[in-house]
Amino acid sequence: DKNPKSLLEEFNSDSSVKKVIGVVSGKGGVGKSFVTAMLAVLMRRKGYRVGILDADITGPSIPKMFGINKVAGGTEHVIFPEETDEGIKVMSVNLLLENEEDPVLWRGPILGNVVKQFWTDVLWEDLDYMFIDMPPGTGDVPLTVFQSIPLDGIVIVSSPQDLVSMIVKKAYNMAKMMNIPVLGLVENMSYVKCPDCGKEINIFGESKLSSVAKEIGIDVLGRIPIDPDIAKLADRGLFGRFKAKYLTEAADEMDARMMN
Ligand code: ADP
């Protein structure tokens, strides 16, 4: 008989997850979960074993986007992740709540511990890529996550407005201070495409993406428009079916960089 501890150590040693990529943003609501999910799906479509650790404990949205509403199973010592239709493993605080509308009222240190446990006590088994939907901002919860999970790189997601206010710079500085390579910057909700004529409309004015990326000294990974079709898929729990190719090149580049 194996004791659960050795079971965990056997399955969930650091080496069983090859690359861990955190997705961060200067503040909430910019599409961090959206980008996390998109990168995870793209890597899955390349044939990799992929997991998403939803560390956005107070605003978890990953399970809903993929239509997962079960309560995760487990033993006394191990939690089992759920799996999306595409075969992406997911752990989120929403999978531990009986009622997904229940608010999470824990304070910072507890939140940090929960995320730590998502890393140490979940039976992820072997993964090529784990994407972490990080808590938004640069407060103590994201800091704990930075300290407790061995990240191989981070992706910064920004709205057009955040690029103007340079909020992204804080997220960048945080990663730098923790010595984590910044893989690049994604501008989300960057423009809309007219469904009739196809014209791209920059609602927020000319994009600051390349100038900000240049100023900070990071790569541009891509621009994503406001896409009502994907938003609809997300609302219906069918995010994994998106067809648009916004971050395809970014995922290829990231993969080449990470797996070499
Ligand atoms: P965050 O994780 O930064 O708080 P989310 O990824 O949850 O933000 O995005 C907030 C809301 O905006 C969600 O309902 C999401 O589906 C929607 N959304 C995000 N990005 C886009 C986009 N490019 N097009 C359409 N809807 C989007």
Side-chain angles (χ1 to χ4, degrees):
D1 269 1
K2 281 177 177 162
N3 70 46
K5 200 80 197 157
S6 73
L7 214 147
L8 243 187
E9 275 160 14
E10 180 177 326
F11 283 109
N12 203 32
S13 62
D14 286 359
S15 60
S16 67
V17 180
K18 283 193 194 142
K19 294 292 169 189
V20 184
I21 295 167
V23 182
V24 307
S25 64
K27 63 173 169 58
V30 301
K32 178 176 48 59
S33 307
F34 194 95
V35 169
T36 307
M38 190 168 266
L39 289 172
V41 171
L42 290 171
M43 288 303 188
R44 181 69 193 144
R45 286 180 187 170
K46 285 161 88 73
Y48 288 118
R49 294 162 300 182
V50 176
I52 303 177
L53 190 162
D54 186 359
D56 192 351
I57 302 283
T58 52
S61 41
I62 296 290
K64 206 166 165 22
M65 294 170 77
F66 287 99
I68 307 173
N69 47 23
K70 295 183 200 139
V71 176
T75 67
E76 202 186 330
H77 299 269
V78 186
I79 312 167
F80 303 132
E82 286 295 331
E83 216 171 283
T84 72
D85 290 344
E86 300 75 29
I88 298 170
K89 290 185 180 168
V90 173
M91 183 43 64
S92 167
V93 75
N94 253 13
L95 302 178
L96 303 178
L97 301 173
E98 284 293 339
N99 179 357
E100 63 175 86
E101 274 106 44
D102 286 345
V104 173
L105 301 172
W106 307 321
R107 295 185 194 279
I110 308 239
L111 295 179
N113 273 325
V114 170
V115 173
K116 216 179 282 181
Q117 273 186 286
F118 282 177
W119 172 249
T120 56
D121 299 355
V122 170
L123 196 59
W124 293 106
E125 301 187 75
D126 290 344
L127 293 181
D128 298 301
Y129 281 106
M130 176 186 280
F131 289 92
I132 307 204
D133 189 356
M134 299 281 281
T138 49
D140 65 312
V141 182
L143 191 64
T144 313
V145 179
F146 268 106
Q147 287 167 334
S148 49
I149 299 178
L151 293 162
D152 294 292
I154 70 148
V155 170
I156 303 176
V157 182
S158 175
S159 67
Q161 296 97 322
D162 286 1
L163 287 175
V164 176
S165 68
M166 291 300 280
I167 264 186
V168 289
K169 197 147 188 190
K170 278 195 184 182
Y172 172 80
N173 286 339
M174 186 160 183
K176 268 279 163 256
M177 280 159 68
M178 308 302 292
N179 278 320
I180 300 161
V182 177
L183 302 172
L185 180 60
V186 175
E187 183 184 36
N188 187 35
M189 311 200 207
S190 180
Y191 57 96
V192 282
K193 201 165 179 173
C194 170
D196 296 323
C197 69
K199 189 176 176 203
E200 290 181 6
I201 304 159
N202 292 313
I203 320 173
F204 307 102
E206 192 68 25
S207 173
K208 296 263 183 306
L209 180 63
S210 41
S211 63
V212 169
K214 203 167 164 196
E215 185 177 338
I216 303 180
I218 49 179
D219 292 337
V220 168
L221 285 177
R223 288 176 78 205
I224 305 176
I226 294 176
D227 185 327
D229 292 336
I230 306 187
K232 213 177 295 164
L233 286 175
D235 289 345
R236 290 163 57 204
L238 301 172
F239 185 89
R241 296 192 190 176
F242 73 84
K243 293 205 181 71
K245 300 208 179 297
Y246 308 126
L247 292 181
T248 310
E249 269 175 43
D252 289 345
E253 277 166 31
M254 184 183 296
D255 188 27
R257 180 166 168 187
M258 285 282 120
M259 290 302 180
N260 279 329

Short mmCIF file of all heavy atoms in Angstrom, two decimals, residues 52-90:
data_model
loop_
_atom_site.label_atom_id
_atom_site.label_comp_id
_atom_site.label_asym_id
_atom_site.label_seq_id
_atom_site.Cartn_x
_atom_site.Cartn_y
_atom_site.Cartn_z
N ILE A 52 -4.74 24.07 -16.73
CA ILE A 52 -4.93 25.47 -16.32
C ILE A 52 -5.16 25.49 -14.82
O ILE A 52 -6.08 24.85 -14.31
CB ILE A 52 -6.15 26.12 -17.01
CG1 ILE A 52 -6.04 26.06 -18.53
CG2 ILE A 52 -6.28 27.59 -16.54
CD1 ILE A 52 -7.25 26.64 -19.26
N LEU A 53 -4.29 26.21 -14.13
CA LEU A 53 -4.47 26.43 -12.70
C LEU A 53 -5.08 27.82 -12.54
O LEU A 53 -4.44 28.82 -12.88
CB LEU A 53 -3.12 26.31 -11.98
CG LEU A 53 -3.09 26.27 -10.46
CD1 LEU A 53 -1.75 25.73 -9.98
CD2 LEU A 53 -3.35 27.62 -9.81
N ASP A 54 -6.31 27.86 -12.09
CA ASP A 54 -7.01 29.14 -11.94
C ASP A 54 -6.67 29.73 -10.59
O ASP A 54 -7.24 29.37 -9.57
CB ASP A 54 -8.52 28.89 -12.07
CG ASP A 54 -9.33 30.17 -12.07
OD1 ASP A 54 -8.72 31.26 -11.95
OD2 ASP A 54 -10.56 30.09 -12.20
N ALA A 55 -5.69 30.63 -10.59
CA ALA A 55 -5.24 31.25 -9.34
C ALA A 55 -5.96 32.56 -9.06
O ALA A 55 -5.66 33.25 -8.08
CB ALA A 55 -3.72 31.47 -9.38
N ASP A 56 -6.92 32.90 -9.93
CA ASP A 56 -7.73 34.10 -9.70
C ASP A 56 -8.87 33.70 -8.77
O ASP A 56 -10.02 33.52 -9.19
CB ASP A 56 -8.24 34.62 -11.05
CG ASP A 56 -8.83 36.01 -10.95
OD1 ASP A 56 -9.00 36.51 -9.81
OD2 ASP A 56 -9.15 36.60 -12.00
N ILE A 57 -8.51 33.55 -7.49
CA ILE A 57 -9.41 32.93 -6.51
C ILE A 57 -10.69 33.72 -6.26
O ILE A 57 -11.76 33.15 -6.07
CB ILE A 57 -8.67 32.75 -5.16
CG1 ILE A 57 -7.41 31.90 -5.34
CG2 ILE A 57 -9.58 32.13 -4.11
CD1 ILE A 57 -7.66 30.43 -5.48
N THR A 58 -10.59 35.03 -6.27
CA THR A 58 -11.79 35.81 -5.96
C THR A 58 -12.63 36.11 -7.21
O THR A 58 -13.77 36.54 -7.10
CB THR A 58 -11.44 37.13 -5.23
OG1 THR A 58 -10.45 37.81 -5.99
CG2 THR A 58 -10.91 36.83 -3.84
N GLY A 59 -12.06 35.86 -8.39
CA GLY A 59 -12.85 36.05 -9.62
C GLY A 59 -12.64 34.91 -10.59
O GLY A 59 -12.25 35.13 -11.74
N PRO A 60 -12.86 33.67 -10.13
CA PRO A 60 -12.54 32.53 -11.00
C PRO A 60 -13.49 32.43 -12.18
O PRO A 60 -14.70 32.43 -12.00
CB PRO A 60 -12.72 31.32 -10.06
CG PRO A 60 -13.69 31.78 -9.02
CD PRO A 60 -13.55 33.27 -8.89
N SER A 61 -12.95 32.36 -13.40
CA SER A 61 -13.87 32.28 -14.54
C SER A 61 -13.54 31.14 -15.50
O SER A 61 -14.30 30.87 -16.42
CB SER A 61 -13.90 33.61 -15.28
OG SER A 61 -12.62 34.17 -15.38
N ILE A 62 -12.44 30.45 -15.28
CA ILE A 62 -12.03 29.39 -16.22
C ILE A 62 -13.06 28.25 -16.32
O ILE A 62 -13.45 27.88 -17.44
CB ILE A 62 -10.63 28.84 -15.84
CG1 ILE A 62 -9.57 29.94 -15.99
CG2 ILE A 62 -10.28 27.60 -16.65
CD1 ILE A 62 -9.25 30.35 -17.41
N PRO A 63 -13.53 27.67 -15.20
CA PRO A 63 -14.47 26.54 -15.34
C PRO A 63 -15.71 26.89 -16.15
O PRO A 63 -16.14 26.13 -17.02
CB PRO A 63 -14.84 26.21 -13.88
CG PRO A 63 -13.69 26.70 -13.08
CD PRO A 63 -13.20 27.93 -13.79
N LYS A 64 -16.26 28.06 -15.91
CA LYS A 64 -17.48 28.49 -16.60
C LYS A 64 -17.25 28.62 -18.11
O LYS A 64 -18.08 28.23 -18.91
CB LYS A 64 -17.94 29.82 -16.01
CG LYS A 64 -19.42 30.04 -16.15
CD LYS A 64 -19.86 31.20 -15.26
CE LYS A 64 -21.21 31.75 -15.58
NZ LYS A 64 -22.18 30.97 -16.27
N MET A 65 -16.08 29.16 -18.47
CA MET A 65 -15.77 29.33 -19.90
C MET A 65 -15.74 27.99 -20.63
O MET A 65 -16.04 27.90 -21.81
CB MET A 65 -14.40 30.00 -20.08
CG MET A 65 -14.35 31.42 -19.58
SD MET A 65 -12.66 32.03 -19.54
CE MET A 65 -12.40 32.36 -21.26
N PHE A 66 -15.35 26.92 -19.89
CA PHE A 66 -15.27 25.61 -20.51
C PHE A 66 -16.46 24.71 -20.14
O PHE A 66 -16.45 23.52 -20.43
CB PHE A 66 -13.96 24.92 -20.10
CG PHE A 66 -12.74 25.51 -20.76
CD1 PHE A 66 -11.94 26.42 -20.09
CD2 PHE A 66 -12.42 25.18 -22.06
CE1 PHE A 66 -10.82 26.97 -20.70
CE2 PHE A 66 -11.30 25.72 -22.68
CZ PHE A 66 -10.50 26.62 -21.99
N GLY A 67 -17.44 25.29 -19.47
CA GLY A 67 -18.65 24.53 -19.16
C GLY A 67 -18.46 23.46 -18.10
O GLY A 67 -19.17 22.45 -18.10
N ILE A 68 -17.50 23.65 -17.23
CA ILE A 68 -17.30 22.66 -16.14
C ILE A 68 -17.99 23.18 -14.89
O ILE A 68 -17.66 24.26 -14.40
CB ILE A 68 -15.81 22.46 -15.81
CG1 ILE A 68 -15.02 22.14 -17.07
CG2 ILE A 68 -15.63 21.36 -14.78
CD1 ILE A 68 -13.52 22.09 -16.82
N ASN A 69 -18.96 22.41 -14.37
CA ASN A 69 -19.60 22.88 -13.14
C ASN A 69 -19.71 21.79 -12.09
O ASN A 69 -20.60 21.81 -11.26
CB ASN A 69 -20.97 23.51 -13.45
CG ASN A 69 -21.79 22.62 -14.36
OD1 ASN A 69 -21.54 21.41 -14.42
ND2 ASN A 69 -22.73 23.19 -15.08
N LYS A 70 -18.79 20.83 -12.18
CA LYS A 70 -18.78 19.76 -11.17
C LYS A 70 -18.03 20.22 -9.93
O LYS A 70 -17.32 21.20 -9.95
CB LYS A 70 -18.06 18.54 -11.72
CG LYS A 70 -18.73 17.91 -12.89
CD LYS A 70 -17.94 16.66 -13.29
CE LYS A 70 -18.26 16.28 -14.71
NZ LYS A 70 -17.12 15.87 -15.49
N VAL A 71 -18.20 19.44 -8.86
CA VAL A 71 -17.32 19.62 -7.71
C VAL A 71 -16.21 18.59 -7.86
O VAL A 71 -16.47 17.40 -8.07
CB VAL A 71 -18.08 19.42 -6.38
CG1 VAL A 71 -17.13 19.51 -5.20
CG2 VAL A 71 -19.20 20.45 -6.25
N ALA A 72 -14.97 19.07 -7.80
CA ALA A 72 -13.82 18.18 -8.03
C ALA A 72 -13.76 17.09 -6.97
O ALA A 72 -14.08 17.31 -5.80
CB ALA A 72 -12.53 18.98 -8.02
N GLY A 73 -13.36 15.91 -7.38
CA GLY A 73 -13.22 14.80 -6.45
C GLY A 73 -11.83 14.80 -5.82
O GLY A 73 -10.99 15.64 -6.13
N GLY A 74 -11.62 13.86 -4.92
CA GLY A 74 -10.30 13.76 -4.32
C GLY A 74 -10.29 12.75 -3.20
O GLY A 74 -11.30 12.10 -2.93
N THR A 75 -9.14 12.59 -2.60
CA THR A 75 -9.01 11.76 -1.41
C THR A 75 -8.66 12.71 -0.27
O THR A 75 -8.69 13.93 -0.45
CB THR A 75 -7.88 10.73 -1.58
OG1 THR A 75 -6.64 11.44 -1.62
CG2 THR A 75 -8.05 9.93 -2.86
N GLU A 76 -8.29 12.14 0.84
CA GLU A 76 -7.95 12.99 1.98
C GLU A 76 -6.75 13.89 1.66
O GLU A 76 -6.63 14.99 2.17
CB GLU A 76 -7.64 12.11 3.18
CG GLU A 76 -7.78 12.82 4.51
CD GLU A 76 -7.33 11.94 5.65
OE1 GLU A 76 -7.46 10.70 5.54
OE2 GLU A 76 -6.83 12.50 6.64
N HIS A 77 -5.86 13.41 0.79
CA HIS A 77 -4.62 14.13 0.55
C HIS A 77 -4.45 14.68 -0.86
O HIS A 77 -3.55 15.46 -1.13
CB HIS A 77 -3.42 13.22 0.85
CG HIS A 77 -3.38 12.78 2.27
ND1 HIS A 77 -2.70 13.48 3.23
CD2 HIS A 77 -3.94 11.72 2.88
CE1 HIS A 77 -2.85 12.86 4.39
NE2 HIS A 77 -3.61 11.79 4.21
N VAL A 78 -5.30 14.23 -1.79
CA VAL A 78 -5.11 14.60 -3.19
C VAL A 78 -6.41 15.15 -3.76
O VAL A 78 -7.48 14.63 -3.47
CB VAL A 78 -4.70 13.36 -4.03
CG1 VAL A 78 -4.36 13.76 -5.44
CG2 VAL A 78 -3.54 12.63 -3.38
N ILE A 79 -6.30 16.18 -4.59
CA ILE A 79 -7.48 16.69 -5.30
C ILE A 79 -7.34 16.31 -6.77
O ILE A 79 -6.25 16.45 -7.35
CB ILE A 79 -7.58 18.24 -5.20
CG1 ILE A 79 -7.41 18.72 -3.76
CG2 ILE A 79 -8.91 18.73 -5.76
CD1 ILE A 79 -7.19 20.23 -3.66
N PHE A 80 -8.42 15.83 -7.38
CA PHE A 80 -8.35 15.49 -8.80
C PHE A 80 -8.80 16.68 -9.64
O PHE A 80 -9.87 17.24 -9.39
CB PHE A 80 -9.25 14.29 -9.12
CG PHE A 80 -8.93 13.07 -8.31
CD1 PHE A 80 -9.93 12.36 -7.67
CD2 PHE A 80 -7.61 12.65 -8.17
CE1 PHE A 80 -9.63 11.22 -6.92
CE2 PHE A 80 -7.30 11.52 -7.42
CZ PHE A 80 -8.32 10.81 -6.79
N PRO A 81 -8.03 17.05 -10.67
CA PRO A 81 -8.49 18.14 -11.53
C PRO A 81 -9.66 17.67 -12.39
O PRO A 81 -9.84 16.46 -12.59
CB PRO A 81 -7.26 18.42 -12.41
CG PRO A 81 -6.46 17.17 -12.40
CD PRO A 81 -6.74 16.48 -11.09
N GLU A 82 -10.45 18.60 -12.87
CA GLU A 82 -11.49 18.27 -13.85
C GLU A 82 -10.88 18.41 -15.24
O GLU A 82 -9.78 18.96 -15.39
CB GLU A 82 -12.69 19.21 -13.69
CG GLU A 82 -13.54 18.91 -12.47
CD GLU A 82 -14.22 17.54 -12.52
OE1 GLU A 82 -14.51 17.06 -13.64
OE2 GLU A 82 -14.43 16.94 -11.46
N GLU A 83 -11.60 17.95 -16.25
CA GLU A 83 -11.07 18.03 -17.61
C GLU A 83 -12.08 18.65 -18.55
O GLU A 83 -13.27 18.35 -18.47
CB GLU A 83 -10.69 16.61 -18.08
CG GLU A 83 -9.45 16.59 -18.95
CD GLU A 83 -8.97 15.17 -19.22
OE1 GLU A 83 -8.36 14.58 -18.30
OE2 GLU A 83 -9.21 14.68 -20.32
N THR A 84 -11.62 19.53 -19.44
CA THR A 84 -12.52 20.14 -20.42
C THR A 84 -12.78 19.13 -21.54
O THR A 84 -12.10 18.11 -21.64
CB THR A 84 -11.90 21.40 -21.06
OG1 THR A 84 -10.85 20.99 -21.94
CG2 THR A 84 -11.35 22.35 -20.00
N ASP A 85 -13.73 19.45 -22.42
CA ASP A 85 -14.02 18.58 -23.57
C ASP A 85 -12.80 18.36 -24.44
O ASP A 85 -12.65 17.34 -25.11
CB ASP A 85 -15.13 19.20 -24.45
CG ASP A 85 -16.47 19.18 -23.75
OD1 ASP A 85 -16.60 18.43 -22.75
OD2 ASP A 85 -17.38 19.91 -24.19
N GLU A 86 -11.90 19.36 -24.43
CA GLU A 86 -10.69 19.28 -25.25
C GLU A 86 -9.60 18.48 -24.57
O GLU A 86 -8.53 18.26 -25.14
CB GLU A 86 -10.15 20.69 -25.55
CG GLU A 86 -11.10 21.61 -26.31
CD GLU A 86 -12.22 22.16 -25.43
OE1 GLU A 86 -12.01 22.30 -24.22
OE2 GLU A 86 -13.31 22.43 -25.98
N GLY A 87 -9.83 18.10 -23.30
CA GLY A 87 -8.81 17.34 -22.58
C GLY A 87 -7.82 18.21 -21.84
O GLY A 87 -6.70 17.79 -21.55
N ILE A 88 -8.21 19.44 -21.52
CA ILE A 88 -7.36 20.32 -20.71
C ILE A 88 -7.73 20.13 -19.24
O ILE A 88 -8.92 20.21 -18.89
CB ILE A 88 -7.56 21.80 -21.12
CG1 ILE A 88 -7.14 22.01 -22.58
CG2 ILE A 88 -6.78 22.73 -20.18
CD1 ILE A 88 -7.53 23.37 -23.14
N LYS A 89 -6.73 19.86 -18.40
CA LYS A 89 -7.01 19.68 -16.97
C LYS A 89 -7.16 21.04 -16.30
O LYS A 89 -6.40 21.97 -16.61
CB LYS A 89 -5.89 18.89 -16.32
CG LYS A 89 -5.89 17.46 -16.77
CD LYS A 89 -4.88 16.63 -16.07
CE LYS A 89 -4.98 15.20 -16.61
NZ LYS A 89 -3.85 14.39 -16.20
N VAL A 90 -8.13 21.14 -15.40
CA VAL A 90 -8.44 22.43 -14.79
C VAL A 90 -8.59 22.29 -13.27
O VAL A 90 -9.23 21.34 -12.80
CB VAL A 90 -9.75 23.02 -15.36
CG1 VAL A 90 -10.17 24.29 -14.60
CG2 VAL A 90 -9.62 23.34 -16.84
#
